[in-house]
Amino acid sequence: MATPPKSIPKTDPRSIPASRPRNAGSRLKDPHGRSPRSYSSPRSYPSPRSFSLEEENYFSRSHTSSSPSSVPRPTAADLECYHVGQVWHDTGIALVGNGDFSIRLHCQRQPVPAGVSKDDADLVICVGSGGTFRAVNEGHCIIGLTYRRHSTKKGKAFLTPEYCTCIVKDPKPVLISCGVAVVRKTTSGAHEIILKRGSNSQALVAVKQKLHSLISSLARGQVKHQIDDIVRGIHMWSDFELDLLADMSATSMRCLFGSSSSKQQLYRESWNPLFASQPPTNTLLCHLQQAAEEEMSNRRASGARTEDQTRPWTLPKGNFSHPAQGDFEKPWECAARELKAETGIDWSECHSDAVHVDVPRGDNPVSMERFFLWRDDSLTTPESGEASGEKQWTWFSFEDAAQKSGTAKAIVGSVQCQDLLKT
């Protein structure tokens, strides 16, 4: 049995009151019925219980003894506790939650030395009232999290941390995204499943806003951006996208930005002077054009990339999109919304008791995806949804789907899916 450090009081740490001010305003409840804290002034922070490094290490151990001297580890039922499932260093966002939901936590970034990209900076949260900041990484648990609730222009909720009691290493799965695996049994007895893919490669989607901001600043005569982050992933752009960037004309750039669902990423007519001559007179645009031409030349010589690599097939899915007011979005509600947006199909059997399969998200052991299984033999070709023109979808046999998507392979091979198709 582990011996608790001398600095830990003999009283149960869960009985320590969290004397935090409350606000009578609107509250956003999580699946446990708890509401976030709000504050009228950031200067009125109380002094929470601070844990030393020795205590944190002690809490992170497993305690199997029922001895009264054992100090149990705080859990979500004891304090407001959020596990970290994913960290997006480039945007300063951590996806936190538990096995039933997740939400975006917008964190501060640790200062980095000159010459180091801010995208590589650690995300930090203030621990205790002393102003000590600790890094937040995947697999961490944020205990006693106090935060403010905000909403985006589209009315979707996100959180910003005020401070927390402590941060300990406690890797547990966090539900990052939800989707629906739509399956059918054809008249010939074959089993099929719907897969979709975007019109843009994931590599372009990741830097599209940066590319848009770069061109906009150049059109205004300002140089505030570098192209390193854009060029770094250009080897994963699709052939069509590389052709457009290599052409570097007003027509090709309209096409490159014309398929965006965000109005903030559409082509602007004020860019026309930048692409009036060939090659462009701007040095940064010339470097981008040369990088695209070089990658295209390498592909023609080696045939290294295929369309399925740059635009992979996946199941319809997406992250939670919680409303600014009211309860958090439920997993089955998130799955139904994403299915409608990406395929135009209404999931008529959307309910909490629907059969589902949980699978890891890539190589991240604490990031989880949930897919609800829905069989409808009457479905034909999916209709156009909100994302018409952005995504492509079709039916695949189970064998072909397993080859194109590792997630699809896990779904079609699951016991739940096989049971659903037995009749």
Side-chain angles (χ1 to χ4, degrees):
M1 181 186 71
T3 303
K6 296 180 180 180
S7 60
I8 296 182
K10 293 183 179 180
T11 57
D12 191 328
R14 296 175 295 177
S15 64
I16 299 173
S19 56
R20 290 173 258 179
R22 295 179 178 271
N23 189 302
S26 60
R27 297 182 182 276
L28 187 67
K29 296 182 178 180
D30 70 5
H32 299 286
R34 300 186 302 270
S35 301
R37 308 286 192 250
S38 298
Y39 300 92
S40 58
S41 173
R43 297 183 180 180
S44 61
Y45 296 162
S47 300
R49 164 87 160 92
S50 298
F51 292 89
S52 66
L53 180 60
E54 185 182 20
E55 292 173 313
E56 291 180 18
N57 292 334
Y58 176 74
F59 286 146
S60 64
R61 299 171 189 160
S62 299
H63 297 281
T64 57
S65 172
S66 59
S67 171
S69 62
S70 297
V71 181
R73 183 173 126 204
T75 64
D78 309 318
L79 298 170
E80 294 210 28
C81 171
Y82 291 84
H83 294 272
V84 183
Q86 264 193 342
V87 174
W88 302 339
H89 292 277
D90 57 336
T91 56
I93 295 175
L95 291 182
V96 300
N98 54 33
D100 293 316
F101 88 110
S102 61
I103 191 169
R104 295 187 178 192
L105 186 69
H106 290 225
C107 303
Q108 297 185 46
R109 294 183 185 178
Q110 188 175 23
V112 295
V116 179
S117 174
K118 291 183 179 180
D119 293 349
D120 299 327
D122 285 333
L123 307 188
V124 294
I125 295 179
C126 181
V127 177
S129 59
T132 302
F133 285 83
R134 292 280 303 274
V136 177
N137 293 308
E138 296 167 356
H140 281 176
C141 178
I142 308 171
I143 298 177
L145 177 64
T146 304
Y147 51 82
R148 296 191 184 206
R149 173 176 55 85
H150 303 274
S151 61
T152 64
K153 293 181 179 179
K154 294 183 178 181
K156 303 304 179 182
F158 68 92
L159 309 176
T160 55
E162 298 282 354
Y163 61 85
C164 67
T165 304
C166 63
I167 300 174
V168 298
K169 187 175 181 181
D170 186 15
K172 288 186 178 179
V174 177
L175 185 59
I176 299 299
S177 59
C178 301
V180 182
V182 185
V183 297
R184 70 177 180 180
K185 191 174 183 178
T186 64
T187 54
S188 62
H191 296 160
E192 295 182 336
I193 187 171
I194 287 180
L195 297 183
K196 60 86 181 178
R197 66 178 178 185
S199 61
N200 291 142
S201 64
Q202 291 299 313
L204 174 59
V205 172
V207 299
K208 203 169 188 179
Q209 183 58 53
K210 291 183 179 180
L211 180 59
H212 190 280
S213 299
L214 169 66
I215 300 175
S216 297
S217 65
L218 294 177
R220 295 191 300 267
Q222 303 171 348
V223 181
K224 296 182 179 180
H225 303 271
Q226 300 297 325
I227 65 171
D228 295 344
D229 294 335
I230 301 174
V231 175
R232 187 181 299 130
I234 204 170
H235 63 284
M236 288 302 297
W237 287 30
S238 68
D239 292 348
F240 179 66
E241 294 162 353
L242 287 174
D243 282 335
L244 294 177
L245 188 62
D247 186 57
M248 197 64 74
S249 64
T251 302
S252 66
M253 300 309 286
R254 280 193 187 94
C255 186
L256 186 65
F257 288 96
S259 61
S260 175
S261 60
S262 173
K263 293 182 179 180
Q264 297 179 350
Q265 294 182 358
L266 294 176
Y267 183 87
R268 297 179 180 178
E269 296 303 319
S270 59
W271 296 356
N272 288 342
L274 292 174
F275 308 110
S277 61
Q278 287 295 329
T281 56
N282 184 273
T283 304
L284 292 179
L285 294 181
C286 280
H287 287 327
L288 284 175
Q289 186 180 42
Q290 292 171 3
E293 292 173 346
E294 182 179 350
E295 176 61 26
M296 286 299 298
S297 177
N298 293 337
R299 290 189 187 183
R300 294 189 186 99
S302 61
R305 295 279 176 248
T306 66
E307 195 69 6
D308 285 351
Q309 288 178 310
T310 57
R311 295 172 56 219
W313 291 97
T314 62
L315 290 163
K317 64 176 181 179
N319 298 112
F320 285 91
S321 182
H322 303 294
Q325 303 292 336
D327 294 338
F328 281 163
E329 187 178 44
K330 304 299 188 296
W332 57 92
E333 295 172 343
C334 173
R337 174 180 52 78
E338 289 294 332
L339 179 66
K340 175 64 176 179
E342 297 185 350
T343 67
I345 298 175
D346 283 315
W347 183 22
S348 58
E349 301 178 10
C350 172
H351 56 81
S352 59
D353 296 329
V355 179
H356 66 267
V357 179
D358 292 340
V359 297
R361 184 184 177 96
D363 298 328
N364 187 349
V366 297
S367 183
M368 181 178 65
E369 297 177 331
R370 177 168 298 172
F371 291 94
F372 293 87
L373 301 179
W374 178 33
R375 175 181 173 179
D376 193 334
D377 297 341
S378 63
L379 285 176
T380 55
T381 303
E383 297 178 359
S384 175
E386 296 176 5
S388 176
E390 282 192 52
K391 292 183 173 63
Q392 175 185 345
W393 49 84
T394 189
W395 290 97
F396 284 93
S397 67
F398 277 13
E399 294 76 12
D400 292 340
Q403 294 179 358
K404 292 183 177 295
S405 168
T407 302
K409 182 178 181 180
I411 297 297
V412 300
S414 65
V415 175
Q416 296 93 322
C417 186
Q418 297 300 323
D419 291 342
L420 187 65
L421 293 167
K422 279 183 179 179
T423 58

